[in-house]
Amino acid sequence: MNPLPPELAAQIAALNPLQLAWLSGYCWSQAGGQAGQPGIGTPAAAPASAVPAAEPLRVAVISASQTGNARKVAAELQQRLAAAGVNAAHTAAADYKPKNIAGEQLVLLVTSTQGEGEPPEEALSLYKLLSGKKAPKLSGLKFAVLGLGDSSYPMFCGAGKSFDELLAKLGGERLLERQDCDLEYQAEAAAWLDKIVPLVGSLAAAPAAAATVTGNASVSPAAAPASAYNKANPFPATLLARQKITGRDSEKDVRHIEIDLSGSGLQYRAGDALGVWFENDPAVVDEILAAVSLKGDEPVNAGGQGKTVREALLHDWEIGLNTPQFVQGYAEISGNPELKQAAADASAYAAANPIAGIVSQYPAALTAEQLAGLLRPLAPRLYSISSAPEEVGEEVHLTVGVLRYEHNGIPRTGAASGFLGGRLEEEGSVRVFVEENPRFRLPENPDTPVIMIGAGTGVAPFRAFMQQRAANGDSGKNWLIFGNQHFTQDFLYQTEWQGWAKDGLLNKYDFAWSRDQEEKVYVQHKIREEAAELWQWLQQGAHIYVCGDASRMAKDVEQALLDTIAEQGGLSADDADEYLDNLRQEGRYQRDVY
């Protein structure tokens, strides 16, 4: 007997293969019956009715954030617009239905950039719509874009530039020129807000009393009491333990780090990141001082405080990541013709040459003020947390790959990874804060299957996931697809994974050891080998998580997933892309890439 009503059965029979493939997994994932979530038997939210022309201007403030900065700026923008009497709603891109953009009147987009000029994870669905074959006409839309980025990367603010161009290309009217902000974004962002708020206010007809939050505005659940410690006021934590977890003959140096958060009030969840403020290497600081003919005791202004130039180099200025601006500025001051020629392609030269290496190769006498003008403020580094508080209490664990390389015959070490992986002594103090990652979370339904795909230190959040699922007693199946160079040297947390497999918590695992045979094998190859079973898991409502390098690994994995979906689901390439994007919008395909 068919348990479905005849009219519903008839509707299902009319679906195409893509719709049937997606519906099967969606229904399974909803079978846990979470309250308040639309599913079979639960009516979906009614679409918003058309807004009469007489009603106030509606403004959609959309934030596309990778680390939270864009979200904070967008929230401030919405608050200032509301105070000015504008009917503005702030929505995170992950909660925004891309197709709704065709009906918007005014969109203010605040976006960061990841990888090689790409949009943040939560904005990929919106970007795909705007850049794809089904892009809507936006002739009735006004818009403005604020981009956040890092000028040390060649595609500085690439996502902001792309969104700005696409919205205009599709017929949108640019209300204000795009503003691109560097790492220290606060001043430039504030100046942009000072321009856009009165500009929007002049267009809006709504009085201040009518300011409401409508449309797609997301409502955050009640948050836990906030700690007094954050990025601006980090907690001085204690390093409890550090252990090398790669073999003696490994080409990689990966350290397991344990940090004590006792007394901080800092709370985190599996999937979050830990921000680390670090101290630059004193030996590198002295190398730079010697190359630019400074003693180190010269006074400078660093972050509004008077310090010696050596103190500023140790604690306040970025010397671990080079920038095109430094290359161009130093080449001009030094007057070295060879360096000036290299500075013609400053982005490529900066990427291949560290600051200390450049000044040592091309020494020149600088004043402390000249050096200060070339360097930007030190920025903290974010590391995926590899522990769950349900398992480790008031500790937080990290999995840190220590960057080691040689430049012009001189061994060098990453600034932050070298600090955590070696220079910081056990029981020493390290300033930390928690950076939430709400778009990389385990499913709420404990019965949901989970597929975790990672390479190298990308396994970190999956260790946290397994600890949390074990502590919760979750019954959903777990599948790990992990890649690294050698089984004997690079199997990170081997005994823990073996223990979870023995206990029945890790139900399936596939390993790609790229250097253990003549032909290199990566995680994307394992996805293709297991295509049939991966498709079965998707039909059972599985969530897919990917963690690792954005420019190579994550792209190769996504292509392997698309190929699997097309092959196993009998779908075209376009339909497979739509299927995967539907998973992303439903929170069933989440990535933590860097």
Side-chain angles (χ1 to χ4, degrees):
M1 178 179 177
N2 191 336
L4 297 176
E7 60 273 14
L8 181 56
Q11 290 178 337
I12 291 176
L15 297 178
N16 62 38
L18 169 64
Q19 293 167 328
L20 284 170
W22 178 83
L23 183 62
S24 63
Y26 176 79
C27 290
W28 186 292
S29 70
Q30 295 298 306
Q34 298 121 324
Q37 299 228 352
I40 298 298
T42 303
S49 58
V51 179
E55 288 195 9
L57 175 72
R58 291 177 291 107
V59 179
V61 179
I62 303 174
S63 60
S65 192
Q66 193 71 13
T67 63
N69 291 335
R71 185 166 59 251
K72 294 173 186 174
V73 173
E76 181 183 350
L77 173 57
Q78 187 276 329
Q79 291 167 4
R80 289 183 57 176
L81 288 170
V86 177
N87 182 21
H90 170 213
T91 310
D95 300 321
Y96 184 81
K97 295 181 180 179
K99 292 181 180 179
N100 285 356
I101 198 164
E104 300 287 7
Q105 296 174 294
L106 175 57
V107 167
L108 304 178
L109 176 64
V110 183
T111 180
S112 62
T113 295
Q114 71 163 352
E116 298 176 348
E118 298 160 356
E121 283 298 308
E122 65 172 334
L124 284 175
S125 292
L126 178 60
Y127 179 79
K128 281 178 173 289
L129 174 67
L130 296 178
S131 59
K133 297 178 181 178
K134 298 181 180 180
K137 298 296 182 183
L138 301 178
S139 55
L141 176 73
K142 292 182 173 63
F143 73 92
V145 176
L146 177 68
L148 306 185
D150 181 345
S151 61
S152 66
Y153 289 91
M155 300 299 290
F156 173 55
C157 285
K161 295 173 182 176
S162 295
F163 274 118
D164 186 66
E165 292 171 1
L166 286 169
L167 291 170
K169 180 181 178 182
L170 295 172
E173 177 186 345
R174 188 179 287 107
L175 189 62
L176 183 66
E177 289 300 312
R178 185 192 72 251
Q179 174 65 56
D180 298 334
C181 305
D182 210 337
L183 281 178
E184 294 298 310
Y185 63 89
Q186 291 86 349
E188 290 174 315
W192 188 82
L193 263 59
D194 288 342
K195 294 178 183 178
I196 197 66
V197 170
L199 191 57
V200 173
S202 67
L203 296 177
T212 57
V213 177
T214 60
N216 294 303
S218 57
V219 179
S220 300
S227 169
Y229 298 101
N230 49 40
K231 181 179 179 180
N233 181 38
F235 175 67
T238 300
L239 176 64
L240 294 175
R242 176 175 52 227
Q243 178 185 0
K244 187 180 180 184
I245 55 175
T246 43
R248 181 182 305 169
D249 298 323
S250 174
E251 296 178 22
K252 301 181 179 182
D253 181 359
V254 178
R255 304 292 172 121
H256 172 74
I257 308 287
E258 298 181 3
I259 294 172
D260 186 7
L261 297 179
S262 297
S264 68
L266 288 171
Q267 300 182 28
Y268 66 91
R269 295 174 59 185
D272 286 340
L274 190 75
V276 177
W277 289 97
F278 59 96
E279 179 182 291
N280 284 315
D281 189 343
V284 176
V285 167
D286 291 340
E287 179 184 0
I288 292 173
L289 289 171
V292 298
S293 300
L294 290 172
K295 295 183 294 182
D297 59 357
E298 294 86 351
V300 291
N301 184 300
Q305 296 183 338
K307 297 188 175 184
T308 68
V309 66
R310 190 173 192 277
E311 289 174 331
L313 283 168
L314 281 170
H315 304 291
D316 301 280
W317 293 337
E318 181 67 73
I319 61 174
L321 294 176
N322 201 353
T323 66
Q325 291 81 1
F326 177 86
V327 172
Q328 293 168 337
Y330 186 73
E332 186 65 30
I333 293 174
S334 69
N336 186 287
E338 183 179 344
L339 184 56
K340 279 189 173 183
Q341 184 177 359
D345 189 357
S347 294
Y349 192 77
N353 296 272
I355 288 174
I358 292 175
V359 297
S360 293
Q361 185 175 358
Y362 304 105
L366 269 64
T367 66
E369 290 75 16
Q370 285 177 318
L371 182 61
L374 295 175
L375 299 173
R376 61 181 184 177
L378 188 70
R381 305 296 193 262
L382 298 179
Y383 292 93
S384 297
I385 292 174
S386 56
S387 59
E390 294 87 348
E391 173 70 19
V392 302
E394 291 191 289
E395 294 181 10
V396 61
H397 296 177
L398 305 178
T399 308
V400 177
V402 181
L403 175 63
R404 300 189 188 280
Y405 65 101
E406 190 173 286
H407 179 262
N408 289 342
I410 300 174
R412 298 201 178 274
T413 306
S417 64
F419 174 75
L420 284 173
R423 297 196 306 276
L424 177 64
E425 298 180 356
E426 289 193 15
E427 301 301 322
S429 180
V430 53
R431 298 174 297 148
V432 302
F433 60 95
V434 171
E435 189 69 57
E436 293 184 357
N437 188 3
R439 308 304 166 194
F440 201 74
R441 291 278 189 256
L442 282 168
E444 293 183 11
N445 182 355
D447 300 328
T448 303
V450 165
I451 303 171
M452 301 166 286
I453 306 170
T457 56
V459 79
F462 302 142
R463 179 178 185 261
F465 279 7
M466 293 297 287
Q467 288 184 353
Q468 183 176 326
R469 296 206 102 181
N472 293 347
D474 292 350
S475 58
K477 297 186 296 182
N478 300 291
W479 180 359
L480 174 70
I481 304 177
F482 172 64
N484 219 335
Q485 291 189 350
H486 299 284
F487 166 73
T488 57
Q489 303 294 323
D490 305 302
F491 193 168
L492 306 183
Y493 303 111
Q494 178 180 355
T495 57
E496 294 184 34
W497 290 110
Q498 290 173 331
W500 286 319
K502 182 179 179 181
D503 295 341
L505 186 65
L506 182 62
N507 306 92
K508 182 172 174 58
Y509 46 86
D510 289 280
F511 301 118
W513 309 114
S514 62
R515 306 298 196 274
D516 277 352
Q517 61 285 311
E518 185 174 347
E519 184 178 354
K520 293 181 180 179
V521 177
Y522 298 109
V523 288
Q524 59 267 27
H525 298 131
K526 294 298 178 180
I527 291 172
R528 290 188 168 91
E529 289 176 12
E530 299 291 340
E533 187 160 0
L534 190 144
W535 180 249
Q536 290 176 5
W537 280 52
L538 284 178
Q539 301 315 293
Q540 296 167 10
H543 287 215
I544 299 178
Y545 299 88
V546 180
C547 184
D549 174 68
S551 61
R552 295 186 299 274
M553 174 265 186
K555 288 183 177 178
D556 292 338
V557 165
E558 180 151 314
Q559 187 58 55
L561 290 173
L562 289 169
D563 293 343
T564 293
I565 291 166
E567 173 192 338
Q568 298 297 318
L571 304 176
S572 67
D574 287 344
D575 283 348
D577 186 70
E578 186 175 346
Y579 178 97
L580 189 62
D581 196 51
N582 283 335
L583 294 185
R584 179 183 284 112
Q585 292 184 46
E586 293 295 328
R588 290 180 55 203
Y589 175 43
Q590 301 180 35
R591 306 197 307 173
D592 181 12
V593 297
Y594 41 84

